[in-house]
Amino acid sequence: LECAEVLVPMDYADVNGGDITLSVARHKATKTAKTVIFLNPGGPGGSGVDYLGYWKEQFSKNMYENADLVSWDPRGVQRSAPVDCFTDKQLDEFSKEDPTPDTAAEVTDFWANSDAELQQCVDNTGKVLSHVSTVETAKDLDVLRAIFKQTKLNYLGKSYGTQLGSVYAKLFPENVGKFVLDGAVDADLSTKQMSM
């Protein structure tokens, strides 16, 4: 893989307010590149760089012979301004919490713990935490499209990558090339509805 770092605005509403670094990887076509395909493995929170590392197992021979494959760690993930809320020990404790409180006391504890955990994320991650969103990730993707000199974005999104692709298409309809959205997500559903 060829790897690089790309600077993007932390806040697209204030492009002079500081940058973050995105980690990007490319697997060059093994024959002649006829196109560039951008990839997102989903999550949210999946590392696109790690995902691309398994190119031979993930993609057809026709795909990797004839296309440059590009992926990245989206903002907030792994090598791209990561959101880091917990130490390993704290994450173990968080995993032990009751995700389905049944009594009034359990509900009170659940919300108190949630507030404390959110504050810890803010303290550990800083200003970037409020700029980790699907909309901003879609804008990052359009920056990558431009860097790779693509008039149209060809894109494969799996799982949550489907939602990212849909948001991108809504924001940049004129830049949409060929899209494969593998695992449709209804963007109108709440988080609670999606988890039921």
Side-chain angles (χ1 to χ4, degrees):
L1 300 183
E2 297 177 342
C3 297
E5 293 182 338
V6 173
L7 285 178
V8 294
M10 179 171 52
D11 180 357
Y12 281 95
D14 178 15
V15 294
N16 296 315
D19 298 321
I20 60 171
T21 302
L22 301 180
S23 180
V24 182
R26 172 173 65 177
H27 176 272
K28 291 194 78 157
T30 57
K31 289 189 176 176
T32 302
K34 297 173 183 166
T35 189
V36 175
I37 301 173
F38 293 83
L39 313 162
N40 182 279
S47 166
V49 172
D50 290 350
Y51 173 66
L52 189 55
Y54 297 98
W55 58 271
K56 202 162 191 176
E57 293 84 11
Q58 293 283 346
F59 310 109
S60 71
K61 186 175 181 183
N62 184 51
M63 191 170 165
Y64 65 73
E65 282 184 344
N66 298 298
D68 285 352
L69 307 176
V70 175
S71 195
W72 75 108
D73 287 352
R75 58 176 55 216
V77 175
Q78 206 128 328
R79 301 163 194 89
S80 297
V83 171
D84 192 9
C85 297
F86 306 112
T87 64
D88 290 345
K89 184 177 179 183
Q90 290 167 330
L91 185 58
D92 289 343
E93 291 303 313
F94 173 75
S95 298
K96 293 177 188 174
E97 289 180 10
D98 182 1
T100 56
D102 302 308
T103 67
E106 288 177 347
V107 169
T108 299
D109 287 347
F110 176 85
W111 286 117
N113 289 340
S114 294
D115 289 343
E117 290 155 359
L118 175 60
Q119 187 58 53
Q120 186 168 331
C121 282
V122 170
D123 293 345
N124 289 350
T125 305
K127 292 191 304 184
V128 73
L129 184 62
S130 61
H131 299 288
V132 176
S133 71
T134 305
V135 168
E136 286 163 311
T137 301
K139 291 178 180 181
D140 293 342
L141 181 53
D142 199 56
V143 169
L144 296 177
R145 176 200 57 78
I147 287 172
F148 282 91
K149 299 181 175 147
Q150 299 300 295
T151 306
K152 300 287 185 183
L153 180 79
N154 296 319
Y155 175 78
L156 168 61
K158 294 187 175 179
S159 186
Y160 164 79
T162 297
Q163 185 172 351
L164 175 58
S166 299
V167 169
Y168 180 92
K170 187 173 183 178
L171 291 174
F172 305 103
E174 69 283 359
N175 296 342
V176 172
K178 295 175 182 167
F179 271 40
V180 175
L181 303 178
D182 177 15
V185 175
D186 184 347
D188 292 330
L189 295 178
S190 70
T191 303
K192 183 178 179 181
Q193 289 169 318
M194 279 192 238
S195 66
M196 295 178 87

